[in-house]
Amino acid sequence: MRLKALVPALATALAAAVAVTLAPTAAAGPEQAPAARPAAPAGAAAPATFTHPGVVVSRSQLDFVRAKVQAGAQPWKAAHDQMMASSYASLTRAPKPRAIVECGSSSNPNNGCTDERQDAVAAYTQALAWYITRDDRHARKAIEIMDAWSAVIKDHTNSNAPLQTGWAGSSWPRAAEIIKHTYTGGWANSGRFATMLRNVYLPEIINGAATKNGNWELIMTEAALGIAVHLEDRAAYDKAVKTYLGRVPAYIYLSTDGATPKPPPNSSIDTRDEIVKYWQGQSTFADGLSQETCRDFGHTGWGLAAAVHTAETSRIQGADLYPQVSERLRHALGFHTKYENGTAIPSWLCGGTVKPGLGRVTEVGFNALNGRMGISMTNTQIYTEGHRPSGTDNYFVSWETLTHAGNPN
């Protein structure tokens, strides 16, 4: 695979994305986000001034977590202890960079796929450890890992290249944002790392993957948005938001969509038969059903996690996407956690059989929708609190009980 040329700068205004009409859900609670905070427009969504650190976690969120851990408060202390006991926080961890990361379907062949994903998670883990403990060794270890990869990697190849790039590309900017904007010890090669993100990662993911299962494009879009924040690339940010606002309605069904789900934008999937096939053969639709529900809950969880992460980053950047997607997210989280919590599977859903295993992907969404927006989410609350501390999936979801449990910022 040749390195792809980065997309040219977008026009000042992009075509309007799919609009999502919100319905009232529940009375706002005391931690509701300020009502005056605007939703991002569907076109030029990039902020006039980017906020740093600003990918999934903000400085105020990190300060909240640090204070809780220092006070020994739960569940943050247990989540921090879990993170620090993991191999990702080890100060002896050695990065394993490659010039070419080759990943086929299901990471077979796996030539650097696991190494890259896990090194990206480790860089983020070390960055979090630095911020909470103020132990310079963790900042230097994060830098060591990021520098090792930015000195070597040139491309991703084989059929899973876009998804692999999205997985690793979601974690890298989280780590880089914390280190570059909070560590005062210096990072000499930060520019080289940014060039890596711009030239190796962003071209692989910025154009989306319209005909793939939706978790692909949502993960790729999360990575693109995070990279755009780190690079302060407004054109890439705007394009990622446009892709996101088209994909989320095509991934999570609401009855207001009509008799069938919305088709993925920029694809040839548009007839009912094609949509039913794309939705894993599911022909009965209910609020919160996902395009991958009848595939398995694991891939669905990845899609939902990426959708929430993207909204969380947008909120930090001051152009909040949650108001445009919250109705879909709260239904999807509630729908899937209901069955994870033990509700019997109805015969109309996936032929009466599902593959559970949503994963520990609900913490950020639950905090945003229930904690800050005051939306009642009983099923999601039971599931989330029952799976703390949430740990990491070793792909791109990491330490979210620590960073987002009860975090009002």
Side-chain angles (χ1 to χ4, degrees), residues 181-199:
H181 297 286
T182 73
Y183 178 56
T184 59
W187 180 13
N189 291 313
S190 63
R192 188 179 73 193
F193 186 83
T195 298
M196 177 195 80
L197 294 180
R198 182 177 297 282
N199 293 343

Side-chain angles (χ1 to χ4, degrees), residues 160-208:
N160 252 34
L163 180 58
Q164 171 72 21
T165 307
W167 278 328
S170 293
S171 296
W172 286 133
R174 296 180 211 165
E177 281 285 289
I178 294 172
I179 295 301
K180 182 176 180 179
H181 297 286
T182 73
Y183 178 56
T184 59
W187 180 13
N189 291 313
S190 63
R192 188 179 73 193
F193 186 83
T195 298
M196 177 195 80
L197 294 180
R198 182 177 297 282
N199 293 343
V200 179
Y201 288 80
L202 194 55
E204 186 72 62
I205 56 181
I206 191 62
N207 290 317

Side-chain angles (χ1 to χ4, degrees), residues 12-364:
T12 303
L14 297 168
V18 179
V20 180
T21 302
L22 298 180
T25 53
E31 293 181 334
Q32 183 181 14
R37 187 149 197 161
T49 302
F50 285 93
T51 298
H52 303 290
V55 177
V56 181
V57 290
S58 66
R59 187 184 296 268
S60 61
Q61 288 175 314
L62 291 168
D63 287 341
F64 171 86
V65 171
R66 184 166 187 256
K68 290 295 186 182
V69 172
Q70 288 180 325
Q74 300 295 357
W76 305 276
K77 179 62 166 57
H80 178 257
D81 290 347
Q82 177 195 45
M83 181 183 79
M84 297 303 290
S86 76
S87 64
Y88 295 112
S90 171
L91 291 168
T92 62
R93 184 182 183 90
K96 300 176 181 178
R98 288 185 182 232
I100 305 296
V101 176
E102 182 188 8
C103 307
S105 179
S106 300
S107 296
N108 183 21
N110 184 341
N111 294 322
C113 315
T114 300
D115 292 339
E116 181 189 32
R117 292 193 305 264
Q118 295 191 0
D119 276 351
V121 170
Y124 177 51
T125 303
Q126 298 283 350
L128 287 173
W130 139 251
Y131 198 93
I132 293 168
T133 68
R134 291 301 197 269
D135 184 337
D136 282 18
R137 294 176 299 169
H138 290 294
R140 292 196 296 270
K141 178 58 70 171
I143 290 169
E144 176 191 337
I145 295 167
M146 291 188 285
D147 282 355
W149 280 90
S150 70
V152 171
I153 190 167
K154 301 298 182 186
D155 203 5
H156 298 86
T157 65
N158 216 317
S159 59
N160 252 34
L163 180 58
Q164 171 72 21
T165 307
W167 278 328
S170 293
S171 296
W172 286 133
R174 296 180 211 165
E177 281 285 289
I178 294 172
I179 295 301
K180 182 176 180 179
H181 297 286
T182 73
Y183 178 56
T184 59
W187 180 13
N189 291 313
S190 63
R192 188 179 73 193
F193 186 83
T195 298
M196 177 195 80
L197 294 180
R198 182 177 297 282
N199 293 343
V200 179
Y201 288 80
L202 194 55
E204 186 72 62
I205 56 181
I206 191 62
N207 290 317
T211 60
K212 295 288 188 179
N213 283 306
N215 83 89
W216 275 55
E217 191 161 73
L218 288 166
I219 292 168
M220 292 162 66
T221 301
E222 177 195 340
L225 194 79
I227 290 170
V229 169
H230 190 64
L231 299 179
E232 298 197 341
D233 185 330
R234 289 176 173 78
Y237 191 102
D238 287 350
K239 185 160 189 175
V241 169
K242 182 179 182 236
T243 300
Y244 178 79
L245 291 176
R247 173 54 80 170
V248 172
Y251 193 67
I252 301 168
Y253 176 78
L254 289 180
S255 57
T256 52
D257 295 336
T260 56
K262 294 181 180 294
N266 305 313
S267 78
S268 61
I269 301 168
D270 53 11
T271 69
R272 176 176 172 82
D273 286 348
E274 289 170 340
I275 290 172
V276 168
K277 181 179 179 180
Y278 185 58
W279 283 61
Q280 324 298 325
Q282 179 69 15
S283 58
T284 301
F285 304 101
D287 287 335
L289 185 78
S290 162
Q291 180 260 320
E292 295 187 271
T293 300
C294 294
R295 180 187 185 190
D296 58 62
F297 280 23
H299 285 91
T300 300
W302 277 348
L304 298 181
V308 169
H309 293 165
T310 301
E312 190 74 0
T313 295
S314 78
R315 185 191 65 86
I316 294 168
Q317 295 306 319
D320 196 348
L321 292 170
Y322 275 120
Q324 298 185 62
V325 298
S326 61
E327 186 73 351
R328 293 182 191 272
L329 292 176
R330 70 104 171 172
H331 274 294
L333 291 169
F335 182 91
H336 293 89
T337 55
K338 175 175 66 175
Y339 297 115
E340 288 282 358
N341 292 341
T343 296
I345 310 300
S347 59
W348 62 264
L349 178 60
C350 311
T353 302
V354 299
K355 296 178 182 177
L358 186 64
R360 299 181 181 190
V361 299
T362 60
E363 197 81 72
V364 180

Side-chain angles (χ1 to χ4, degrees), residues 366-380:
F366 176 66
N367 183 61
L369 302 178
N370 178 262
R372 288 197 300 258
M373 299 177 72
I375 298 171
S376 178
M377 300 178 71
T378 303
N379 292 323
T380 307

